Amino acid sequence: GNISRQEAVSMIPPLLLNVQPHHKILDMCAAPGSKTTQLIEMLHADMNVPFPEGFVIANDVDNKRCYLLVHQAKRLSSPCIMVVNHDASSIPRLQIDVDGRKEILFYDRILCDVPCSGDGTMRKNIDVWKKWTTLNSLQLHGLQLRIATRGAEQLAEGGRMVYSTCSLNPIEDEAVIASLLEKSE
């Protein structure tokens, strides 16, 4: 349990977030949890700070996959993780107490690694070839855009959101970002 395998390409999105120990982080589609554990490790990167003030909220829509998240997070024994089970496209805004008054929580960093067709994994996952259709990406585009939009709505001013998929299809990647930018001006 001390070492977990992950493809190098899967490690890139958390690295692009440039997490610091004070960051409030939302991982919108977190299961099975490899990227989440990376984020937690980044929070704890400064060994002189035993309890960083930042935290990770790891969300997944699938209840069973949330158990995987909990299992992964428990290995790290970090007090800075909370696992939630919600539809990322409508994840609620949280309120925090700041000097006795309620304020909406905005995140410094958001990882938006959305559900996708997985066509970028065809070299290692032969089943993707058998099941792939053009309709997959078209059906996923709307969900991906809703999740990315909800992430952008919860991002703090000056914060950073990384959108990623394991797809090579522009409908799932560039088209989602183009729509998000157009929608949010």
Side-chain angles (χ1 to χ4, degrees), residues 142-158:
L143 174 63
Q144 293 163 334
L145 179 58
R146 287 192 306 276
I147 293 171
T149 300
R150 191 63 182 147
E153 291 169 353
Q154 298 211 20
L155 189 62
E157 191 172 312

Side-chain angles (χ1 to χ4, degrees), residues 42-165:
M42 290 174 181
L43 277 179
H44 289 277
D46 184 352
M47 300 306 280
N48 296 320
V49 181
F51 299 107
E53 61 183 87
F55 56 83
V56 175
I57 295 179
N59 175 67
D60 203 85
V61 70
D62 187 317
N63 191 28
K64 290 177 183 159
R65 288 170 54 95
C66 282
Y67 284 105
L68 289 171
L69 276 173
V70 170
H71 175 74
Q72 289 276 37
K74 280 172 63 172
R75 291 184 311 111
L76 298 176
S77 299
S78 173
C80 304
I81 176 77
M82 179 169 73
V83 175
V84 296
N85 178 211
H86 209 283
D87 176 356
S89 66
S90 62
I91 193 164
R93 290 183 189 246
L94 300 179
Q95 291 187 346
I96 54 174
D97 187 54
V98 178
D99 299 326
R101 57 182 204 285
K102 299 281 185 196
E103 287 188 7
I104 293 173
L105 172 63
F106 289 99
Y107 299 93
D108 302 302
R109 299 290 187 261
I110 296 179
L111 179 58
C112 193
D113 187 46
V114 297
C116 65
S117 65
D119 62 16
T121 66
M122 286 183 182
R123 68 174 172 76
K124 69 172 185 173
N125 187 353
I126 199 74
D127 288 337
V128 172
W129 277 112
K130 295 174 186 173
K131 297 176 185 173
W132 189 88
T133 68
T134 54
L135 191 59
N136 288 354
S137 296
L138 293 171
Q139 289 176 330
L140 287 166
H141 175 85
L143 174 63
Q144 293 163 334
L145 179 58
R146 287 192 306 276
I147 293 171
T149 300
R150 191 63 182 147
E153 291 169 353
Q154 298 211 20
L155 189 62
E157 191 172 312
R160 181 180 292 182
M161 181 172 91
V162 171
Y163 174 87
S164 63
T165 69

